[in-house]
Amino acid sequence: MKRMPLKAKVLSENQRVAEALRKTYKKHGILCLNFISAPGSGKTQLLESTLAALDPETRVAVLTGDIQTDNDARRLARYGFPVKQICTGGTCHLDGHMIENAMSDWDLEKIDLLLIENVGNLVCPSSYDLGEDAKVVLLSVTEGEDKPLKYPGIFFKSQLFLLTKVDLLPHLKFDADLAEANARRVHPEIEIIRCSCTEAGGLDAWLTWLKNKMKAAKAA
Ligand SMILES: Nc1nc2c(ncn2[C@@H]2O[C@H](COP(=O)(O)OP(=O)(O)OP(=O)(O)O)[C@@H](O)[C@H]2O)c(=O)[nH]1
Ligand SMILES: [Mg+2]
């Protein structure tokens, strides 16, 4: 009998769990977004500002992955929505089992939007389907315009690219148009939004995208 390499085995087991998660989200009418970036690109800050901006009646829940510490969950829990930290204990990505376990004591009928902050890493999380409706990749303006070309996997798989911290552009030699063109070389249809969590209105386009996505999910 031909033996399957271990990595392929792990990925195919994850795929099985991801398909089950996808069905679960569909059954309960949950829109799930998986946020991926290098450490420090601003995932937690974006989610904090998003939770602060959402109507308190929005039925949103957050899972946040980290190798160590529950810092991010503590930051996110301040907004009054259910939040759980997933500590991976060294693993550089979240997988389907971790999501299943973390949600096991949540009443999924009470959730319309599930936001998952992945472990800070631009490579490993891209291989692990979490059953999400869309991956959202973040790249901040301090990271270099070439990153979509150097880490094409995640830009290829993401529906949306958020270029973060654009309030810093006046202080940097960063060509935002070039970064976006590089992302489009990898994934011509990728949607791109420039964001800032420190400027008034800096998240308006992102919040509109999110609300439209929620409306579309409800109508489906
Ligand atoms: N100037 C500016 N700083 C920002 C913005 N968004 C985030 N930051 C800062 O960037 C730093 C990292 O932000 P985090 O939200 O912790 O980044 P992260 O991607 O969650 O990091 P990990 O969870 O460690 O991967 C913090 O000091 C934030 O205050 C922004 O829009 N503008
Ligand atoms: Mg974080």
Side-chain angles (χ1 to χ4, degrees):
M1 192 177 72
K2 206 170 160 221
R3 295 181 68 179
M4 205 178 183
L6 184 60
K7 189 170 180 218
K9 227 173 171 169
V10 169
L11 284 175
S12 85
E13 165 61 7
N14 187 72
Q15 207 50 47
R16 189 190 63 73
V17 179
E19 293 312 330
L21 281 169
R22 213 181 316 282
K23 277 195 192 137
T24 302
Y25 301 147
K26 204 172 166 48
K27 179 174 161 208
H28 295 282
I30 297 173
L31 172 71
C32 174
L33 301 176
N34 179 5
F35 295 80
I36 297 173
S37 80
S41 305
K43 298 178 293 301
T44 309
Q45 182 59 61
L46 177 89
L47 295 182
E48 282 192 75
S49 304
T50 301
L51 295 180
L54 285 176
D55 183 330
E57 302 300 308
T58 312
R59 304 192 319 161
V60 55
V62 187
L63 295 175
T64 179
D66 212 345
I67 288 178
Q68 226 36 272
T69 88
D70 64 350
N71 293 359
D72 288 357
R74 284 193 280 112
R75 284 166 61 185
L76 292 159
R78 294 182 295 193
Y79 301 87
F81 300 104
V83 174
K84 258 195 211 175
Q85 182 80 48
I86 302 174
C87 238
T88 66
T91 306
C92 57
H93 58 266
L94 295 176
D95 66 28
H97 278 303
M98 296 177 195
I99 304 300
E100 245 182 6
N101 292 339
M103 293 195 312
S104 60
D105 61 348
W106 275 350
D107 180 355
L108 301 183
E109 271 308 302
K110 294 191 174 148
I111 300 174
D112 294 326
L113 175 64
L114 176 64
L115 303 173
I116 302 177
E117 175 181 353
N118 219 306
V119 177
N121 186 310
L122 219 36
V123 183
C124 310
S126 69
S127 301
Y128 287 81
D129 188 352
L130 305 179
E132 70 276 326
D133 292 272
K135 289 183 172 62
V136 177
V137 61
L138 286 74
L139 175 74
S140 68
V141 295
T142 56
E143 292 173 58
E145 304 90 343
D146 58 345
K147 295 306 171 287
L149 302 177
K150 292 179 81 172
Y151 303 94
I154 186 55
F155 286 86
F156 182 69
K157 288 185 178 171
S158 294
Q159 183 178 338
L160 175 65
F161 164 23
L162 295 178
L163 182 64
T164 60
K165 311 191 191 181
V166 296
D167 52 284
L168 298 177
L169 280 173
H171 312 288
L172 300 168
K173 267 198 197 149
F174 179 91
D175 183 340
D177 292 336
L178 177 59
E180 294 180 359
N182 286 339
R184 289 207 166 98
R185 274 175 69 188
V186 173
H187 182 176
E189 290 81 31
I190 197 165
E191 296 176 68
I192 303 177
I193 296 176
R194 297 185 185 189
C195 297
S196 168
C197 292
T198 64
E199 281 180 344
L203 292 180
D204 287 356
W206 149 248
L207 291 169
T208 301
W209 185 93
L210 178 62
K211 283 172 189 163
N212 286 339
K213 194 90 187 148
M214 287 175 71
K215 257 189 225 149
K218 268 233 145 14

